[in-house]
């Protein structure tokens, strides 16, 4: 993932998408595509400069990727990934449904919210932030924090995810949502019309069987040294908030 964000160039903030069913707020412009290959919204291919609208569900093919910006937060989806994007009160809101997403932010006045099933991830106060989220299975995903600190909530448990750490996360409930256009996780409508189930804290990858007080966050690895390429790529990924 170190190559992510290495060669991001901001295109003109113009573009268009093919017509799609209308949902309230869907026509609100929320961002722009910076770079894309084998990525699309509905049947419309994405290219550099394409506008992104609220509730757009972005998908990538197996060999594809897409880099985009919602307000001042940058996102990267790698191959076979799927995510929806929305405006929020304090910044970008996104729902990762499949695959891997990289998130970068270097604006103190903005935040972001990333939802993976019932888990909510937000940045803490430090900037810049650079992190990667990967869904391995409906009840199993991993968060790699490369810069800054995050705060994640799963059910009633909230945990600080620290820079240089790699976490295995088990949500309390998994969500299977195929709606397109998507519904923002922050709205009451989100909880209607999708399937969900309970995620037990079963033994896996060397974990002990579930105990009542067991955490849903397991620290897998302390990253002693983040790759040089990632560090070099970070300034471009989280460029100055003065940039348009």
């Amino acid at each position: 993932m170190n190559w992510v964000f290495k060669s991001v160039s901001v295109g003109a903030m113009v573009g268009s998408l093919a017509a799609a069913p209308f949902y309230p707020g869907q026509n609100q412009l929320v961002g722009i595509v910076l770079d894309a290959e084998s990525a699309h919204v509905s049947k419309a291919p994405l290219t550099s400069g394409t506008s992104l609208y609220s509730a757009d569900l972005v998908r990538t093919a197996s060999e594809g990727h897409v880099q985009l910006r919602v307000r001042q937060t940058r996102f990267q989806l790698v191959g076979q990934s799927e995510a929806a994007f929305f405006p929020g009160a304090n910044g970008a809101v996104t729902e990762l449904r499949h695959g891997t997403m990289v998130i970068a932010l270097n604006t103190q006045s903005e935040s972001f919210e990333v939802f993976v099933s019932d888990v909510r991830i937000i940045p803490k106060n430090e900037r810049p932030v650079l992190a990667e989220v990967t869904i391995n299975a409906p009840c199993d995903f991993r968060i790699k924090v490369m810069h800054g600190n995050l705060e994640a909530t799963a059910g009633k448990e909230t945990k600080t995810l620290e820079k240089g750490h790699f976490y295995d996360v088990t949500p309390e409930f998994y969500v299977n949502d195929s709606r397109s256009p998507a519904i923002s996780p922050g709205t009451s409508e989100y909880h209607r019309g999708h399937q969900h189930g309970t995620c037990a804290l079963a033994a896996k990858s060397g974990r002990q069987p579930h105990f009542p007080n067991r955490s849903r966050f397991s620290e897998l690895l302390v990253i002693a040294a983040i790759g040089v390429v990632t560090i070099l790529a970070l300034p471009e990924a989280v460029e100055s908030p003065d940039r348009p």
Side-chain angles (χ1 to χ4, degrees):
M1 293 303 302
N2 291 339
W3 58 270
V4 178
F5 298 120
K6 279 199 70 177
S7 58
V8 176
S9 60
V10 180
M13 191 168 285
V14 291
S16 60
L17 293 177
F22 177 78
Y23 279 67
Q26 184 203 355
N27 61 341
Q28 182 177 356
L29 182 67
V30 296
I32 186 171
V33 175
L34 306 174
D35 181 58
E37 180 178 347
S38 299
H40 60 278
V41 171
S42 296
K43 295 182 180 180
L46 297 178
T47 59
S48 177
T50 299
S51 297
L52 192 70
Y53 293 88
S54 180
D56 276 348
L57 185 61
V58 179
R59 295 184 175 98
T60 57
S62 58
E63 300 301 321
H65 71 273
V66 62
Q67 299 166 1
L68 54 92
R69 187 183 69 208
V70 177
R71 295 182 61 170
Q72 294 299 328
T73 302
R74 293 198 176 197
F75 299 93
Q76 165 90 20
L77 295 177
V78 302
Q80 291 187 312
S81 297
E82 180 178 309
F85 298 88
F86 312 88
N90 300 310
V93 176
T94 181
E95 178 195 18
L96 179 63
R97 294 185 179 181
H98 301 289
T100 295
M101 170 185 284
V102 177
I103 311 107
L105 176 64
N106 190 25
T107 302
Q108 196 70 45
S109 61
E110 278 196 20
S111 184
F112 59 75
E113 293 179 280
V114 177
F115 290 87
V116 188
S117 287
D118 77 331
V119 178
R120 175 178 178 261
I121 305 163
I122 60 174
K124 293 182 77 70
N125 294 328
E126 300 85 354
R127 299 290 186 273
V129 173
L130 182 64
E132 175 185 303
V133 182
T134 298
I135 298 176
N136 297 318
C139 290
D140 179 22
F141 62 91
R142 293 183 178 182
I143 302 175
K144 181 180 180 181
V145 186
M146 293 170 277
H147 220 282
N149 294 319
L150 303 176
E151 181 178 280
T153 300
K156 297 180 179 179
E157 182 181 359
T158 297
K159 184 174 180 64
T160 295
L161 309 183
E162 299 179 349
K163 171 186 174 181
H165 290 67
F166 193 14
Y167 299 87
D168 189 81
V169 184
T170 302
E172 185 174 6
F173 300 98
Y174 71 84
V175 173
N176 182 9
D177 193 351
S178 60
R179 291 173 293 186
S180 180
I183 306 297
S184 175
T187 65
S188 59
E189 289 81 6
Y190 176 76
H191 299 284
R192 305 168 188 166
H194 66 234
Q195 297 178 333
H196 65 276
T198 302
C199 294
L201 286 171
K204 61 177 181 179
S205 303
R207 284 189 180 188
Q208 297 298 316
H210 171 54
F211 293 99
N213 296 324
R214 185 167 180 81
S215 174
R216 293 188 174 273
F217 301 90
S218 295
E219 186 176 310
L220 298 180
L221 176 69
V222 175
I223 308 168
I226 302 175
V228 174
V229 177
T230 299
I231 292 296
L232 294 176
L234 183 59
E236 292 187 56
V238 287
E239 57 187 26
S240 168
D242 295 332
R243 304 275 303 261

